[in-house]
């Protein structure tokens, strides 16, 4: 993405050098994390993560308890019972691993769903600010995408964006 931005700017700016082009720039990450809805989404995600962590801990403790029982009694088990218990432990272990993977996937999905309305709100705010201020475009300065911006040619819209998102 960064490469495409640089290529875009490299090709576009010389073409527009003679024209008076206005653009804005801001940090998407700073704007995103300053939104009141972000704190709510973070709290909800933290709560969901805590529930998955509690369930993971519970199943790990259950597995450990059963494993200890198996180790304590394995010398007394008949061969068929020993095999049955080993199979049960293996199944429980695989279920626990699958649960952890599914929990991670569901947490990532929940995060995407929680943040989608916030990202949409930012997009709408940027479109409105761009139109109101007559900007040709608004750049995201995160990740060193734009290591230098001449303040004479561009306008830092960070505070305008943050205010509009409140």
């Amino acid at each position: 993405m960064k490469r495409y931005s640089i290529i875009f700017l490299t090709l576009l700016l010389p073409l527009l050098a003679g024209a008076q082009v206005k653009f804005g720039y801001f940090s998407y990450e700073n704007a995103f994390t300053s939104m009141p809805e972000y704190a709510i989404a973070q709290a909800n995600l933290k709560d969901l993560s805590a529930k998955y962590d509690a369930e993971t801990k519970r199943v790990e403790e259950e597995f450990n308890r059963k494993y200890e029982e198996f180790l304590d009694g394995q010398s007394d088990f008949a061969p068929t019972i020993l095999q049955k218990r080993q199979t049960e432990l293996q199944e429980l272990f695989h279920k626990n691993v699958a649960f952890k993977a599914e929990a991670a996937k569901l947490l990532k999905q929940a995060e995407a769903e929680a943040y989608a309305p916030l990202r949409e709100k930012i997009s709408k705010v940027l479109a409105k600010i761009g139109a109101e201020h007559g900007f040709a475009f608004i750049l995201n300065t995160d990740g060193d995408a734009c290591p230098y911006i001449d303040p004479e040619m561009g306008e830092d819209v960070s505070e305008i964006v943050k205010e509009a998102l409140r």
Side-chain angles (χ1 to χ4, degrees), residues 6-19:
I6 293 170
I7 292 170
F8 172 76
L9 290 174
T10 304
L11 295 174
L12 180 66
L13 289 181
L15 294 174
L16 300 174

Side-chain angles (χ1 to χ4, degrees), residues 30-83:
N30 287 343
F32 187 72
T33 57
S34 73
M35 297 173 72
E37 298 94 332
Y38 176 79
I40 295 167
Q42 281 291 99
N44 291 341
L45 290 170
K46 185 177 178 183
D47 183 49
L48 182 61
S49 180
K51 290 176 183 176
Y52 280 120
D53 289 345
E55 181 61 14
T56 298
K57 183 178 179 185
R58 185 194 70 76
V59 296
E60 285 175 355
E61 289 172 354
E62 178 185 357
F63 176 81
N64 291 339
R65 181 181 47 78
K66 287 186 177 189
Y67 185 67
E68 288 175 12
E69 289 172 4
F70 171 78
L71 292 176
D72 289 344
Q74 75 180 14
S75 60
D76 298 333
F77 294 146
T80 54
I81 294 174
L82 183 67
Q83 181 62 38

